[in-house]
Amino acid sequence: MESFSEPDGENRAARFGGLEKLHPLQIAAWKQMTFTEKWDLVKAGQKLVRDAARRRIARQKPDLTPGEVEKEVAQFFIRART
């Protein structure tokens, strides 16, 4: 995929976490989606990220109970929003 470029030659995709320019078909598909379909994708993405964080924390701290892992996940995301 083609990356965003800035006038000074800096690759914006690298600066913003590797995001690349969307393909025109992706843009067209997004425009055709309802708000509910878009929101469902956002929620699925959030679940994917939380599940990954949960697995990482459980792997890094195997002595934690499932409840303690959930507490750490919640604390991680609370800190990420501030």
Side-chain angles (χ1 to χ4, degrees), residues 25-38:
L25 290 175
Q26 291 172 300
I27 295 169
W30 183 259
K31 287 180 179 180
Q32 294 297 316
M33 293 172 73
T34 65
F35 173 81
T36 302
E37 291 170 326
K38 291 173 185 176

Side-chain angles (χ1 to χ4, degrees), residues 3-65:
S3 296
F4 290 107
S5 293
E6 296 193 358
D8 63 0
E10 182 182 350
N11 184 333
R12 208 169 117 186
R15 207 173 79 205
F16 291 108
L19 296 177
E20 295 184 358
K21 189 173 182 179
L22 295 175
H23 189 279
L25 290 175
Q26 291 172 300
I27 295 169
W30 183 259
K31 287 180 179 180
Q32 294 297 316
M33 293 172 73
T34 65
F35 173 81
T36 302
E37 291 170 326
K38 291 173 185 176
W39 185 244
D40 287 343
L41 283 176
V42 169
K43 289 188 302 185
Q46 288 175 329
K47 183 181 183 320
L48 182 71
V49 171
R50 288 185 77 88
D51 289 346
R54 188 177 294 110
R55 287 190 305 273
R56 177 186 53 81
I57 291 168
R59 186 176 58 249
Q60 289 176 340
K61 300 178 180 182
D63 55 318
L64 294 181
T65 66

